[in-house]
Amino acid sequence: MNNETMPNFLIKRAFLTPDRIAVYFQDKALTFKELYDYSLNVAGQLQGLGVRKDDFVGVLLKNHLDTVIIFFALQLLGVKSVILNNRLTPSELIWQLEDSTSSLLILEDSFTDIKMVINQQLASLATITKSDLFAKENDSADIKEEISLSDICTIMYTSGTTGHPKGVLQTYGNHWWSATGSALNLGFVESDCWLCSVPLFHISGFSIIMRSIIYGMPIVLHEKFDVQKTIEDISDKKVTIMSVVGTMLTSIVDALTVSGLPEHFRCFLLGGGPAPLPLLEACVKKNLPVFQSYGMTETSSQIVTLSPEYSLSKLGSAGKPLFPSQLRIELDDHTAASPQHAGEIVVKGPNVTAGYLNRPDATKEKIREGWLHTGDIGYVDEEGFLYVLDRRSDLIISGGENIYPAEVESVLLSHPDVTEAGVTGTDAAKWGQVPIAFIVKREGAALTLEEIHQFCLTRLAKYKVPKQFYFAEQLPRNAAKKLLRRHLHELINEK
Ligand code: ATP
Ligand code: MG
C-alpha cells in the first residue's frame, strides 16, 4: 500500500539535519550524518555475514553508542531486531531466540559465558560479539531506502512480570505514531534533549532513540542510571526531558538540594509502574515537573500521559490517551464502565501492536476488534482522566473486597522511614486472601513493625491493612526496576 510507505527514518533524518547532534555518549558526540555513516558501515558488515532483509536477528547489548549504531544498521537492512533483555538467564535467552527463529545473535564482548552456553545448546544459531562484527570486512550494503509502516521493526518480549514473556511485534508505524503522539502532547522545541538511562532493550529506552531520529533531537545516553551523573548532565548537556521509573525519581528527589533543577529542564516522564502519590507530592514540593504516563511494550511506550496544564490539578492521574489513541474501561461483561467505576483498561491506536509473535491464541484473546485488553485495572473520571489502579492479576480479594496492592504500597511509602514497599496476597482460611507487606527501611532508621502497623491503621480501611509486615534488604525487581510481586513470598523463606 503506497500510503503506508515512508523513507527509511535514519536516511531521511541524516538528509534533513545532517549536522545536528544525534547522541552524546560519555565524551563522544555523534551527528546524524555520522550516525548514518557508521550504521551504513555496520550494515555492510552484517550483510557480509549473510544477514538479509526480513531476517530475525537477536541483539543482546548494553546501553552504549555502539548499540544505537547496531540498531540502526539493522533497520537499514530491513532486518527485524529481536531485542533481548541483558538480565535474562541463558535458558530464558535461548527460549526467546528459538521462539523468534533468530538467525544470528549479536552480543557484548563481555558476555562470554552466555555465548558459550548458547553455542553449546543452540548450535544452529550463529553468534558474534560486537568487536568481531566491527572488525569484519564490509560489503556494500543493500539498503532499504523505503519502509512500510506495517513492516516489523522490532520484537520485544514483555517484561514477564506476570508470567512467560510474549514477543510483542512493533512495526515502524507503531514507533512512528508513538513518537508523534508524544510530541503532540509534550510539544517539541528545538532545544529539546532527552536523557536516556533506562535500558535500550526496553521500550522505554528504545522509544527515545526512535524519537531522536524522528524529531531530529539529541539524546544523552547513559550506560545505566546514576543519580549524580543525571543531575550533572541535566545541567551540562542542557537536558530538557528524562524518562524515569519511580525508584529512579525517588533517588533524584532525595539527592537534589533546595535549588532544584535548572530552568531549561522541562520534565520527567514517569512510567513503567504505579506512581506513588507521596513521590508525586515530593516532586511538587521541590518544584520538579513530572508527567505521569501509562504504557507498555504492546503500546510502544506511553499511550496515556498527563498534559502539563493538569499536572497539579489531576495529580495521581496518568492523563488522557494521546492524540492518535483511544481508551475505555471495560467491565467483566465487556460493557463500558461509567466514570469512577473500575474495570479493565482497554486501548486502541496506531501505536498498539498487531499482536504477539507465534501466539495467535494470546493475540486473539488480548486484541479484539483492534482493542488491546491490557490486563490492568483503572477508572476514568468524568473528564476522561485515567487513574490506573493495578494489574488485574495482582488484585487481592479479601472477604469479597478488592484490595489494590499499589494503593497499600503508596501508603507505606508515605512513611518517611520507608524507601521501598511491596504488597501481595497470601491465602487465609477465613478471608480467601489477606494482604502482607514487605518493606525496605531507610538506612539507619529505627522503624519497628508495630509502628508501621499503627501507621497503616490510621490511613487505610482495616481490611486493607497488611496482616503481616516483613523487613527486607531489597525487593525483587526486574531489569526495568519493576517490582516482581509474585516473588515477594520468597523473601519469607529467606528469613
Ligand atoms: P508482562 O506483560 O510480561 O507481565 P509487563 O506488563 O511488566 O510484563 P511492560 O510492558 O514492561 O511489561 O509493562 C507494562 C505494564 O506496567 C502495564 O501493563 C502496567 O501494569 C504497568 N504500568 C505502566 N505504567 C503504569 C502506571 N502509570 N501505573 C500503574 N502501572 C503501570
Ligand atoms: Mg504486560
Side-chain angles (χ1 to χ4, degrees):
M1 267 193 293
N2 286 337
N3 61 359
E4 289 218 326
T5 305
M6 279 180 74
N8 185 300
F9 294 171
L10 178 61
I11 299 178
K12 181 71 174 183
R13 176 46 61 199
F15 169 66
L16 289 173
T17 56
D19 301 324
R20 278 196 209 161
I21 300 294
V23 190
Y24 293 101
F25 179 74
Q26 294 170 349
D27 50 2
K28 292 203 193 82
L30 226 60
T31 64
F32 286 104
K33 172 75 168 65
E34 289 167 328
L35 178 60
Y36 173 67
D37 289 342
Y38 281 114
S39 303
L40 186 64
N41 195 46
V42 176
Q45 290 166 321
L46 284 163
Q47 184 160 310
L49 286 169
V51 173
R52 295 288 178 273
K53 176 175 166 298
D54 293 332
D55 283 356
F56 291 86
V57 169
V59 182
L60 182 63
L61 295 169
K62 297 181 182 173
N63 276 18
H64 194 285
L65 187 57
D66 296 340
T67 307
V68 180
I69 292 168
I70 292 169
F71 280 145
F72 285 119
L74 292 164
Q75 289 189 21
L76 287 174
L77 290 173
V79 164
K80 303 174 175 82
S81 306
V82 179
I83 300 182
L84 300 159
N85 181 329
N86 289 340
R87 301 258 299 263
L88 298 182
T89 61
S91 64
E92 289 170 313
L93 291 168
I94 288 171
W95 188 88
Q96 297 186 5
L97 287 161
E98 281 194 299
D99 183 57
S100 57
T101 64
S102 293
S103 56
L104 174 72
L105 170 66
I106 307 167
L107 75 184
E108 288 293 335
D109 299 357
S110 58
F111 293 166
T112 39
D113 292 354
I114 295 174
K115 190 169 186 295
M116 211 169 65
V117 179
I118 292 178
N119 287 340
Q120 277 167 0
Q121 296 188 15
L122 199 61
S124 57
L125 176 79
T127 57
I128 191 163
T129 61
K130 85 178 182 193
S131 294
D132 286 348
L133 171 64
F134 290 169
K136 288 269 165 219
E137 290 286 302
N138 69 329
D139 282 11
S140 103
D142 252 331
I143 293 307
K144 211 168 170 246
E145 302 272 346
E146 286 185 340
I147 51 104
S148 164
L149 290 180
S150 57
D151 287 344
I152 306 296
C153 174
T154 42
I155 287 121
M156 229 173 251
Y157 284 79
T158 56
S159 299
T161 310
T162 51
H164 218 37
K166 297 185 281 291
V168 178
L169 303 173
Q170 296 162 337
T171 62
Y172 286 92
N174 292 151
H175 292 304
W176 168 262
W177 284 109
S178 167
T180 309
S182 175
L184 291 175
N185 179 49
L186 298 179
F188 173 68
V189 288
E190 221 178 310
S191 57
D192 270 341
C193 175
W194 205 304
L195 173 55
C196 174
S197 59
V198 285
L200 284 176
F201 59 73
H202 194 263
I203 189 59
S204 55
F206 190 84
S207 60
I208 300 173
I209 68 167
M210 294 307 279
R211 288 183 202 117
S212 164
I213 56 162
I214 292 171
Y215 305 166
M217 168 190 73
I219 66 170
V220 175
L221 180 65
H222 285 180
E223 283 168 293
K224 57 180 179 13
F225 173 66
D226 175 321
V227 66
Q228 285 314 329
K229 204 164 163 232
T230 299
I231 295 171
E232 264 167 49
D233 271 3
I234 288 180
S235 285
D236 299 351
K237 301 254 170 44
K238 300 264 181 301
V239 168
T240 59
I241 307 177
M242 179 184 184
S243 299
V244 289
V245 297
T247 50
M248 290 161 69
L249 190 56
T250 304
S251 10
I252 296 171
V253 175
D254 288 352
L256 274 178
T257 52
V258 267
S259 56
L261 288 170
E263 275 288 287
H264 65 251
F265 186 75
R266 295 214 288 136
C267 66
F268 289 108
L269 186 65
L270 172 64
L277 213 53
L279 171 61
L280 296 174
E281 282 161 351
C283 290
V284 172
K285 241 192 217 155
K286 288 205 171 171
N287 214 4
L288 300 178
V290 177
F291 293 178
Q292 214 208 310
S293 73
Y294 166 75
M296 63 211 78
T297 316
E298 288 90 335
T299 60
S300 309
S301 93
Q302 3 140 27
I303 186 160
V304 179
T305 304
L306 199 60
S307 301
E309 60 266 48
Y310 296 111
S311 54
L312 290 179
S313 60
K314 295 286 178 179
L315 196 71
S317 163
K320 290 181 180 175
L322 298 179
F323 199 97
S325 312
Q326 304 175 60
L327 176 140
R328 70 174 190 229
I329 304 293
E330 221 178 79
L331 299 172
D332 285 345
D333 63 5
H334 304 306
T335 57
S338 44
Q340 305 291 350
H341 279 85
E344 183 170 13
I345 302 171
V346 182
V347 294
K348 187 177 190 172
N351 57 328
V352 174
T353 181
Y356 301 103
L357 183 68
N358 304 328
R359 299 286 298 275
D361 293 354
T363 303
K364 233 164 95 197
E365 185 201 317
K366 291 277 234 162
I367 308 172
R368 289 173 244 144
E369 290 166 17
W371 290 92
L372 171 77
H373 291 68
T374 63
D376 293 318
I377 307 179
Y379 64 90
V380 290
D381 67 11
E382 283 73 10
E383 294 161 78
F385 286 90
L386 173 70
Y387 291 80
V388 184
L389 291 168
D390 223 318
R391 288 173 193 272
R392 186 157 65 180
S393 56
D394 285 349
L395 185 71
I396 304 167
I397 303 177
S398 191
E401 297 281 3
N402 285 351
I403 302 170
Y404 299 104
E407 183 193 356
V408 183
E409 286 161 5
S410 178
V411 166
L412 292 167
L413 287 167
S414 70
H415 191 289
D417 287 342
V418 173
T419 57
E420 288 185 54
V423 169
T424 187
T426 194
D427 294 337
K430 188 169 166 201
W431 306 103
Q433 284 226 305
V434 291
I436 56 174
F438 298 81
I439 288 161
V440 179
K441 276 196 274 194
R442 196 169 292 281
E443 231 176 271
L447 182 70
T448 65
L449 294 174
E450 189 41 39
E451 267 167 34
I452 195 76
H453 182 218
Q454 287 302 324
F455 183 82
C456 289
L457 280 173
T458 56
R459 288 165 178 83
L460 285 167
K462 198 147 179 234
Y463 69 92
K464 296 182 190 170
V465 174
K467 298 296 166 287
Q468 286 290 335
F469 294 87
Y470 302 90
F471 286 130
E473 296 287 315
Q474 58 177 39
L475 299 186
R477 291 185 187 273
N478 68 12
K481 300 201 167 53
K482 268 186 216 225
L483 181 63
L484 295 173
R485 292 199 186 110
R486 69 196 155 94
H487 288 314
L488 283 171
H489 272 279
E490 292 161 21
L491 293 176
I492 303 177
N493 304 331
E494 278 172 19
K495 299 263 143 190

